[in-house]
Amino acid sequence: MRAAKNWEAYRVIDTSDGEKLEIWNGVSLIRPDPQVLWKTKKKSKLWTQADAHYHRSSSGGGKWEFHAKLPDKWELPYRDLKFQIRPTGFKHTGLFPEQAVNWDFMDGLIRSTGREVSVLNLFAYTGGATLACANAGASVCHVDASKGMVQWARENAALSGLQDKPIRWIVDDCEKFTQREIRRGKKYDAIIMDPPSYGRGPGGEVWKLENCIFDLVKSCVDVLSDDPLFFLINSYTTGLSPSVMGYILDSLLTHKYGGHVYFDEIGLPVEESGMCLPCGSTAVWCKNDASEAFR
């Protein structure tokens, strides 16, 4: 597992009984986590003193219980980047901290090329990967179907002093946008993809990522340049293992471009246990050997 160990303002204090206890730049939150199957003793006093606690409802969804008056939003720094954090109605805060391990990896790949790099970031959410790539010197096309998420990403870019970087902000269906880019002959040196577990296709049909991931990746190969740098897939779908995503990238990219495929779980260190909380999976194809960086 690759753990995001370089955070200073974010920490996972403990995990137990389906929940995790976190610190977000001084704000303590308890949120549900389906990976936390263990029921270990809760040693930290913050379990009973957290600023806010998200409770799931037996009928679906849930709500926040606030024990302290929190700002509507606050900043969370990571190295050169800054992100706007705020609790949403679906337990999320606008950022997935475990992705920092991928931001660092992509930053290193882009800086090592010594050339201009264009990146297509699909299902781009609030822009963590977009900002990391732009900060490393790449031009980025940020695509997400949610207007609110794209606006949030733009605000994060401004917080990070990246508002004048070459970033295209696109509100669109990712599959439709990719097909239009193919018809326009637009090419990118790198692709990042963080698709949801469930979604709707261009015709409104409901799809599951496990059933559509191969075709989704295959459709994106046609927008890669003749000398691509990397293709990275993130997944939070429990039925989609890192090795399956790696197999797909190898079958679609390695035979065409050569290169190397890497895949693993990503996670977050937990202070009380000294273990790492598994948070998702990443697979990446790289044109050059990146075995030292992918650790």
Side-chain angles (χ1 to χ4, degrees):
M1 179 186 293
R2 296 182 305 129
K5 300 177 179 179
N6 294 322
W7 282 100
E8 295 182 0
Y10 171 83
R11 299 152 58 203
V12 179
I13 305 300
D14 198 9
T15 58
S16 181
D17 199 16
E19 296 182 316
K20 57 187 173 187
L21 171 63
E22 310 160 289
I23 303 291
W24 296 78
N25 201 12
V27 178
S28 54
L29 303 178
I30 298 173
R31 298 190 296 153
D33 192 308
Q35 297 283 8
V36 182
L37 302 179
W38 45 91
K39 299 180 180 181
T40 49
K41 184 178 180 180
K42 297 179 178 180
K43 299 177 182 178
S44 174
K45 294 180 179 179
L46 278 177
W47 280 110
T48 58
Q49 300 173 2
D51 295 319
H53 190 166
Y54 187 90
H55 299 279
R56 283 203 180 280
S57 169
S58 58
S59 59
K63 65 179 181 179
W64 287 96
E65 178 186 6
F66 294 98
H67 302 134
K69 183 173 177 56
L70 300 183
D72 292 335
K73 55 188 176 183
W74 66 95
E75 292 182 13
L76 181 73
Y78 181 77
R79 295 187 163 176
D80 295 336
L81 308 177
K82 292 181 180 179
F83 302 95
Q84 181 188 107
I85 301 301
R86 61 176 183 262
T88 71
F90 297 95
K91 85 171 182 177
H92 298 300
T93 62
L95 195 71
F96 292 87
E98 62 274 8
Q99 288 297 332
V101 72
N102 286 328
W103 305 339
D104 292 343
F105 177 70
M106 291 183 288
D107 179 287
L109 290 180
I110 292 168
R111 292 182 189 273
S112 68
T113 62
R115 63 180 175 94
E116 293 185 1
V117 175
S118 59
V119 177
L120 175 61
N121 188 10
L122 300 172
F123 310 96
Y125 196 50
T126 59
T130 293
L131 271 58
C133 292
N135 189 56
S139 61
V140 186
C141 182
H142 174 110
V143 187
D144 196 279
S146 169
K147 183 178 180 180
M149 291 300 107
V150 173
Q151 178 58 34
W152 196 335
R154 294 182 73 127
E155 293 169 5
N156 285 337
L159 279 177
S160 301
L162 299 172
Q163 64 271 22
D164 295 327
K165 294 293 184 179
I167 304 173
R168 294 171 61 202
W169 304 103
I170 307 295
V171 179
D172 202 350
D173 176 273
C174 290
E175 291 181 85
K176 289 181 180 180
F177 178 80
T178 301
Q179 291 304 313
R180 284 198 297 273
E181 292 290 81
I182 292 171
R183 292 194 294 270
R184 288 189 284 248
K186 179 67 176 178
K187 300 291 184 179
Y188 296 90
D189 301 310
I191 295 176
I192 305 163
M193 182 185 295
D194 198 347
S197 297
Y198 300 90
R200 291 188 179 274
E205 66 278 9
V206 178
W207 55 265
K208 293 177 63 177
L209 184 58
E210 303 99 302
N211 300 331
C212 301
I213 184 66
F214 182 84
D215 291 335
L216 193 58
V217 174
K218 186 178 180 181
S219 69
C220 291
V221 173
D222 291 334
V223 294
L224 280 174
S225 66
D226 294 334
D227 186 22
L229 183 61
F230 67 84
F231 193 127
L232 186 144
I233 308 174
N234 291 307
S235 172
Y236 290 90
T237 303
T238 54
L240 191 58
S241 70
S243 55
V244 168
M245 295 191 299
Y247 197 107
I248 291 171
L249 290 179
D250 183 74
S251 63
L252 291 174
L253 293 165
T254 306
H255 296 290
K256 182 175 182 178
Y257 296 105
H260 311 265
V261 171
Y262 310 94
F263 47 88
D264 204 349
E265 287 185 291
I266 58 175
L268 292 163
V270 180
E271 293 185 4
E272 283 287 351
S273 67
M275 299 288 285
C276 280
L277 173 66
C279 298
S281 303
T282 296
V284 58
W285 171 88
C286 298
K287 183 65 178 290
N288 301 316
D289 183 0
S291 54
E292 288 297 318
F294 198 86
R295 289 187 174 181

